[in-house]
Amino acid sequence: MKYGSSLYALLAAMPLLATGTARANDDSTAPIGIFAVACVDLLDKPDTFVEVMSNRGDRVQDPEAREFLRDKQGKAWLVSFEGIPYGFSWADDGTCRVTIMSGEPKELANEFGTLGRMAPVGYTSTMDLTSIDERGWMVHSYTWRGNGEDRAIQMRLSLNPKAGTGLRGNVSARYVAAPR
């Protein structure tokens, strides 16, 4: 799924990521903007995601890779942009994830909510109830379903509510069976 400027611009600018993907503001360098372009725009292009990350980031191994992958099998990279580190990962099950190291939880949740409500033309957006996971983190999620498609895009934001922890949260996207 592609929403904006050419893939070549994305490859050259990663993680500047200035495409037309729906996002809360025009700052494509904000964590949710980076997620929208890296994960949502490339969700059906895992080889391109791996190529971009291999050229832009530093590949990480365990235990850091496990943290970025949330204990799934796959590949992970550390990318620093304007002095802020981000963890990017692609799990073997098709989950694309960005690990966010800093930011205000309320602002991140607001940006994610705006993205979640801004489904592309031809898609409907469904918000799931906000919940608390086993770590005590707030979980926000949206599902985008295309008309007549048998799969949907599920996006999930998990936020650490504790300030000063060094890990603010993670945001992920994957395909799921379309709800009936």
Side-chain angles (χ1 to χ4, degrees):
M1 177 176 303
K2 190 75 177 139
Y3 306 100
S5 64
S6 77
L7 183 59
Y8 298 110
L10 172 66
L11 292 171
M14 181 70 185
L16 292 176
L17 304 170
T19 73
T21 300
R23 58 184 174 269
N25 57 45
D26 291 333
D27 186 0
S28 62
T29 63
I32 303 305
I34 289 172
F35 161 74
V37 179
C39 287
V40 179
D41 279 358
L42 295 179
L43 193 57
D44 60 349
K45 297 177 178 73
D47 293 338
T48 302
F49 177 89
V50 169
E51 179 183 341
V52 169
M53 288 301 124
S54 295
N55 289 322
R56 180 63 177 93
D58 295 319
R59 181 81 186 269
V60 295
Q61 304 298 326
D62 287 342
E64 192 171 32
R66 260 195 332 267
E67 181 178 329
F68 294 164
L69 287 158
R70 295 284 321 265
D71 291 321
K72 295 180 179 185
Q73 295 297 311
K75 298 175 182 171
W77 297 264
L78 183 64
V79 177
S80 182
F81 183 70
E82 294 184 359
I84 301 170
Y86 295 94
F88 288 82
S89 64
W90 193 279
D92 293 347
D93 70 358
T95 301
C96 179
R97 177 174 281 107
V98 176
T99 301
I100 303 167
M101 307 299 183
S102 63
E104 292 300 319
K106 186 174 183 175
E107 290 175 18
L108 292 168
N110 286 339
E111 288 179 25
F112 182 75
T114 300
L115 170 66
R117 290 184 300 275
M118 296 176 66
V121 173
Y123 283 74
T124 57
S125 174
T126 304
M127 179 182 162
D128 295 328
L129 292 175
T130 301
S131 61
I132 305 291
D133 70 10
E134 67 280 356
R135 300 170 294 176
W137 290 21
M138 299 277 304
V139 178
H140 308 269
S141 61
Y142 285 86
T143 302
W144 288 350
R145 181 176 183 208
N147 297 331
E149 293 192 22
D150 61 349
R151 66 181 184 171
I153 298 172
Q154 181 185 58
M155 299 179 294
R156 178 180 165 145
L157 172 66
S158 300
L159 286 173
N160 183 350
K162 297 177 184 166
T165 61
L167 176 60
R168 182 49 57 210
N170 57 64
V171 61
S172 63
R174 66 185 179 128
Y175 284 111
V176 296
R180 299 280 173 210

